[in-house]
Amino acid sequence: MRVLPQDFYLRRPDIVARELLGKLLVRVYKGIRLSGFIVETEAYFGEEDPASRARKGGDLAMTMRGEVGIALVYGVHRQWLLNVVAHEPGNAGAVLIRAIEPFEGINMMKKLRAVNDIRNLTNGPGKLTRALAIDKRFHKRPLFLEYESLRIEQGRIVKPEEIGVSFRVNVTKDMPIPLRFYIKNSKFLSR
DNA sequence: CGCCAGATTGACT
DNA sequence: GTCAATCTGGCGG
């Protein structure tokens, strides 16, 4: 299956967040494909977004302003969270991958997470990085190249009526517009 | 180096 | 529903 091209990410983060639904997140781990369809995302903007790391300065802010289509991985509450840098030219932004529906390599994911329930495998941003063995080493790596061990592929078509929208989860200061996107009937959403 | 906030999770009332 | 363990990045000293 083909990876998404880099210019897929050269658009507003809310657009990219919505369009990422149904795409396949792929991690090649010890020669095995671990993958899942993206079912939940959140968009983050630059300075104007009170919840965005772009406000805090430093490396994360630089990364959010930099090349699109690369991973932005950072730690919160002892978890690693996976984002994709996405914004229009000259702006800043990123999309947080919040949940995926397990597809390939499910047994390996269960081992990595030490759980059996498939519904509890990748239904949260910290859970899915754990299940796919994603950590800080992937920070700033491109997700749009065929040979990379972490990448995003074409996936399946999602109809507009399947998509739900809400405010972001656990964000203390949110934007006045809803920036969380999810597939309404999915059994693999975060709580 | 110490302090602090936080885009979480899992355990528990 | 509540609560805190535990760790990273940014920043001040």
Side-chain angles (χ1 to χ4, degrees), chain A residues 65-154:
Chain A
R65 224 180 302 285
E67 185 182 7
V68 299
I70 67 175
L72 187 159
V73 180
Y74 80 101
V76 203
H77 295 273
R78 91 181 180 279
Q79 324 289 330
W80 293 112
L81 272 55
L82 174 65
N83 300 249
V84 196
V85 177
H87 55 75
E88 292 180 308
N91 287 338
V95 176
L96 170 68
I97 315 282
R98 283 195 60 86
I100 64 176
E101 173 182 334
F103 180 50
E104 298 166 290
I106 292 172
N107 282 338
M108 179 63 83
M109 292 192 217
K110 286 179 176 175
K111 267 193 217 166
L112 286 162
R113 277 265 294 136
V115 298
N116 276 318
D117 181 7
I118 188 170
R119 290 212 196 185
N120 187 33
L121 212 46
T122 55
N123 61 332
K127 294 178 182 178
L128 75 89
T129 51
R130 187 90 199 222
L132 298 189
I134 295 167
D135 60 27
K136 191 67 184 174
R137 295 196 306 270
F138 289 92
H139 187 50
K140 297 184 184 175
R141 296 248 299 259
L143 301 174
F144 50 85
L145 297 176
E146 300 281 351
Y147 56 78
E148 280 289 330
S149 59
L150 184 63
R151 54 189 190 247
I152 300 178
E153 300 184 353
Q154 204 57 58

Side-chain angles (χ1 to χ4, degrees), chain A residues 143-172:
Chain A
L143 301 174
F144 50 85
L145 297 176
E146 300 281 351
Y147 56 78
E148 280 289 330
S149 59
L150 184 63
R151 54 189 190 247
I152 300 178
E153 300 184 353
Q154 204 57 58
R156 67 177 185 84
I157 307 287
V158 176
K159 301 192 199 95
E161 59 266 30
E162 296 180 74
I163 298 176
V165 182
S166 79
F167 287 95
R168 293 176 294 191
V169 175
N170 286 346
V171 168
T172 35

Side-chain angles (χ1 to χ4, degrees), chain A residues 8-21 23 25 38-46 49 52 63-64 67-74 81-88 92-99 125 128 143 152 168 179-182:
Chain A
F8 177 91
Y9 306 99
L10 198 60
R11 298 179 287 171
R12 277 172 34 196
D14 52 334
I15 307 282
V16 175
R18 181 188 286 267
E19 298 227 350
L20 235 22
L21 296 176
K23 302 297 186 287
L25 178 65
I38 297 171
V39 296
E40 182 180 342
T41 60
E42 280 177 2
Y44 288 86
F45 288 88
D49 183 348
S52 178
T63 307
M64 286 185 76
E67 185 182 7
V68 299
I70 67 175
L72 187 159
V73 180
Y74 80 101
L81 272 55
L82 174 65
N83 300 249
V84 196
V85 177
H87 55 75
E88 292 180 308
V95 176
L96 170 68
I97 315 282
R98 283 195 60 86
L128 75 89
L143 301 174
I152 300 178
R168 293 176 294 191
L179 290 173
R180 169 175 173 256
F181 304 91
Y182 58 97

